[in-house]
């Protein structure tokens, strides 16, 4: 039972990362749209750039944690097939 709980937790973490990547793309789109204007809103650009940077750093850290976890599993097995060969 604990194995399924851990697997579900890992899946939820990946879903959170996926949502954050969507937010990153949205921030980038907002910045590009703002830069295309003749007169840009500097404060909006600063906020969006800061949000973009923070999100990228968070996604990078979370993906690194997921990769570290996967590389520590014995023999390259995942929790879902740990008893199978």
């Amino acid at each position: 039972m604990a194995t399924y709980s851990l697997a579900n937790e890992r899946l939820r973490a990946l879903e959170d990362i996926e949502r954050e990547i969507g937010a990153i793309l949205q921030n980038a789109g907002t910045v590009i749209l703002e830069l295309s204007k003749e007169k840009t809103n500097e404060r909006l650009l600063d906020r969006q750039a800061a949000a973009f940077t923070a999100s990228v750093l968070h996604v990078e850290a979370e993906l690194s944690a997921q990769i570290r976890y996967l590389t520590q599993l014995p023999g390259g097995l995942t929790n879902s097939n740990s008893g199978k060969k």
Side-chain angles (χ1 to χ4, degrees):
M1 244 359 189
T3 303
Y4 292 117
S5 177
L6 182 60
N8 285 336
E9 185 180 317
R10 292 283 170 190
L11 285 174
R12 268 187 248 114
L14 289 172
E15 288 170 353
D16 290 344
I17 292 168
E18 184 179 15
R19 276 191 290 280
E20 190 138 11
I21 290 171
I24 288 170
L25 294 173
Q26 194 169 18
N27 286 338
T30 301
V31 168
I32 290 170
L33 182 64
E34 188 63 29
L35 288 172
S36 71
K37 295 178 180 177
E38 201 169 304
K39 183 173 179 175
T40 60
N41 181 339
E42 293 295 324
R43 287 199 324 209
L44 175 66
L45 287 173
D46 288 342
R47 280 195 314 270
Q48 292 297 320
F52 177 87
T53 302
S55 291
V56 167
L57 292 174
H58 183 253
V59 165
E60 179 182 20
E62 290 298 317
L63 285 175
S64 293
Q66 292 287 331
I67 292 168
R68 264 192 316 279
Y69 170 76
L70 290 173
T71 59
Q72 292 172 357
L73 291 176
L77 299 175
T78 63
N79 285 331
S80 63
N81 66 357
S82 59
K84 302 174 187 173
K85 283 222 168 188

